[in-house]
Amino acid sequence: MRRWNFSAVWTSPLSRASETSALAGYGEVAELRADLMEWDYGTFEGKTKDEIRATSPNWTLWTDGVPCGETARDVGARADRVISEARSVEGNVLVFAHGHLLRVLTARWLGLPPTEGRLFTLGTASISVLGFDSDGDQPVLQLWNDTTHLRG
């Protein structure tokens, strides 16, 4: 990430993201953003997909949501606020957050419904870059799910 300059660094207040920002060398400058917290899984928090599907065989987070938690639309609204704020920053914004939230954020960046985050898988500690095409007006994926920095 040293090849980029960042005007702002934001992190989810949850420990996994904030600790990752510190490990990456941005802990001192990273600003906490509640909108970057992971999807609220409600009563499914801590349960595996297999445990949930034992009672709901065809369940998916993207289409069925979770009882007493957030809907894809709720997460999309948070992602939209992050995008709006990021677009108001002059320069690049570095974000440390969580898989499902980042997948929704990507869908919204591209103008897709929040549920289309299902199309973008992410590996742990991967780097992805959202930006604009060469004309500077079309939001695009410039880099996705890159883990080459993890190879020793």
Side-chain angles (χ1 to χ4, degrees):
M1 290 189 299
R2 287 175 175 66
R3 63 183 167 177
W4 292 290
N5 292 314
F6 299 105
S7 298
V9 179
W10 302 338
T11 184
S12 161
L14 297 178
S15 62
R16 184 181 298 173
S18 60
E19 289 170 7
T20 301
S21 72
L23 288 170
Y26 295 94
E28 295 296 318
V29 297
E31 298 176 35
L32 300 179
R33 292 286 192 276
D35 279 338
L36 291 174
M37 289 180 51
E38 182 59 295
W39 196 310
D40 178 350
Y41 299 119
T43 57
F44 287 170
E45 183 67 43
K47 294 187 180 196
T48 66
K49 186 172 19 176
D50 289 341
E51 290 172 329
I52 296 165
R53 286 187 174 165
T55 57
S56 301
N58 297 316
W59 175 85
T60 72
L61 175 65
W62 302 102
T63 57
D64 301 317
V66 292
C68 303
E70 286 182 298
T71 65
R73 186 176 181 169
D74 296 332
V75 180
R78 290 195 287 118
D80 287 347
R81 290 192 297 268
V82 170
I83 291 168
S84 177
E85 187 176 359
R87 286 185 172 164
S88 73
V89 172
E90 186 83 24
N92 296 319
V93 177
L94 175 61
V95 172
F96 293 90
H98 312 276
H100 284 123
L101 176 279
L102 290 169
R103 292 167 67 180
V104 171
L105 185 121
T106 300
R108 298 302 301 136
W109 178 261
L110 296 172
L112 301 171
T115 54
E116 296 308 289
R118 68 188 171 80
L119 301 173
F120 306 101
T121 62
L122 277 174
T124 302
S126 65
I127 295 174
S128 298
V129 179
L130 305 178
F132 294 94
D133 68 3
S134 59
D135 294 331
D137 55 357
Q138 176 64 50
V140 297
L141 289 177
Q142 292 181 333
L143 179 69
W144 188 254
N145 202 31
D146 180 34
T147 58
T148 57
H149 61 284
L150 299 176
R151 296 182 195 136

